[in-house]
Structure formats: C-alpha cells, structure tokens
Amino acid sequence: MTKTFILASGSTIRQTLLANAKVPFDVNVPRIDEESIKDALLAEGTSPRDIADALAEGKARKISMKMPEAVVLGCDQVLSFKGRLFSKPTTPKEARAQLTELNGERHKLMSAAVIYEGGEPKWRHIGEVKLQMKQNSDAYLDDYVTRNWDSIRHSVGGYKLEEEGARLFSRIDGDHFNVLGLPLLEILGYLGQTGVISS
C-alpha cells in the first residue's frame, strides 16, 4: 500500500511543482508562529541556514504528530544578505526598502526541506542559490512594487523570479527549483528511494 504523502505548506508554487511532477499529495497547513520562532533563533545568533531548517522541521513535526502514518514534507525559504535574514515584506514600503538594499548586490536564497514519518525526522536537505541583482532604476523599482504587490507580499526579498521579478536579475547560480522554494529533485529522489513514488 502506498503511503500518504502530505505537503505541510500553503504555498501554491510548491503545490504546483509537486503536481506538475505527478506526485500524489495532500495539503495540511500547520499553524505555527513562524515570526516568534524566527525572532527567538535570531536572538540566539542562529545562522539563516539553520533558521530555514528549523522552520521546515517545525512544520513537518507538527503535522507528523497528528498523522504519524503519513510521510510529511515541511519547507521553508530564507533570504540571507550580508549575514542578515530578510522576511516577507508586510507593506509595499518594506518591499521597496528590501529591493533597494538588494539592488546591484548579490544575495543567497536557502530552501530547506525536512521529511518526517511517525513523528521522527527521516530526511533533510537545504538547497542554496546565489543571485545577482542588476542595478535597477528607482523609477522601475517603484513601478515594480506597485504593479506586483499582491504577489510579492508572499515572497522574501519582495520579488518573484517566476514572474516579472526575473527582470531584476543579471545572474543566478544554482537550481531554479530552489529559487521557487522547493529542492524538488532531491525530494523526488528520496520519495523514489523509499517507495512513496515509483522510480
């Protein structure tokens, strides 16, 4: 009997990536206070990479405790710029401020994935991508935020690379799936090895 695979995330792009790869899954969004967890970890001097991992694990654990028979995937993505962590912007002004800082600079996106089964962690991976933002004009950044606010408010850094945000960049080093917040190839590899999907 095939095990139930659950995505512990409300992210539409993660759901789309799994669906496009023909992975059968259910969605169960955990209720965790991400900002409180993040603030506590930052206060302890935790690295952005470890914060992404901790948040992904927290989501997977929460659903796995309720549904121990299922294979549960928790995910999180963080943006690291000069050792600082960027969160999702809460206002257009904040999105514009983030883009101003990143403009003409390099930053990293880290996409963490943790799989739980039976209330225990079974697998984890963190994909890292380096992005070079070109020098965009102030006028373009203003227009970009105004046009795209409804979409970019859900993204760290205030941009979506799969949409108009691609125009902000000159170079990307790393796996495109990690930019979208899901280390898909590694996840598919694990699911195939463990018989959750055929391979």
Side-chain angles (χ1 to χ4, degrees):
M1 192 181 89
T2 313
K3 293 173 181 172
T4 302
F5 179 54
I6 295 174
L7 174 64
S9 170
S11 160
T12 52
I13 189 72
R14 290 186 182 116
Q15 292 170 31
T16 300
L17 289 171
L18 287 171
N20 287 348
K22 300 293 186 280
V23 175
F25 67 97
D26 296 327
V27 174
N28 196 325
V29 183
R31 291 191 177 175
I32 66 168
D33 188 345
E34 287 189 49
E35 289 309 312
S36 293
I37 296 167
K38 204 182 286 183
D39 289 345
L41 291 169
L42 283 169
E44 293 169 8
T46 307
S47 71
R49 183 185 179 89
D50 289 343
I51 289 173
D53 183 65
L55 288 167
E57 179 158 358
K59 294 169 189 175
R61 185 193 307 115
K62 182 116 187 199
I63 300 303
S64 187
M65 291 302 184
K66 289 195 292 186
M67 306 180 73
E69 73 292 345
V71 176
V72 182
L73 169 64
C75 305
D76 197 75
Q77 184 184 57
V78 300
L79 186 157
S80 175
F81 177 61
K82 297 182 178 177
R84 281 174 42 236
L85 191 75
F86 278 37
S87 297
K88 293 172 186 172
T90 55
T91 63
K93 187 177 178 183
E94 193 178 334
R96 180 68 175 83
Q98 289 187 358
L99 290 170
T100 299
E101 278 200 74
L102 299 174
N103 202 25
E105 300 273 2
R106 278 168 72 83
H107 66 270
K108 286 185 205 169
L109 283 177
M110 283 167 265
S111 289
V114 178
I115 290 178
Y116 260 63
E117 195 176 346
E120 297 288 332
K122 299 294 183 183
W123 178 89
R124 63 197 333 119
H125 178 82
I126 300 175
E128 188 175 298
V129 185
K130 292 175 181 165
L131 300 96
Q132 175 68 51
M133 194 175 279
K134 63 187 181 67
Q135 193 66 48
N136 299 281
S137 70
D138 288 342
Y140 179 69
L141 291 179
D142 287 340
D143 290 344
Y144 174 77
V145 172
T146 302
R147 266 196 305 274
N148 295 284
W149 170 243
D150 278 346
S151 177
I152 61 175
R153 60 202 288 254
H154 304 294
S155 298
V156 293
Y159 64 83
K160 274 194 174 176
L161 206 76
E162 65 271 28
E163 296 172 1
E164 189 188 340
R167 287 168 58 179
L168 300 169
F169 292 89
S170 59
R171 184 181 172 92
I172 296 160
D173 296 312
D175 188 326
H176 182 65
F177 292 123
N178 288 324
V179 177
L180 302 180
L182 192 75
L184 183 64
L185 300 182
E186 291 82 4
I187 289 165
L188 294 175
Y190 176 81
L191 296 178
Q193 286 165 15
T194 53
V196 177
I197 59 172
S198 57
S199 66

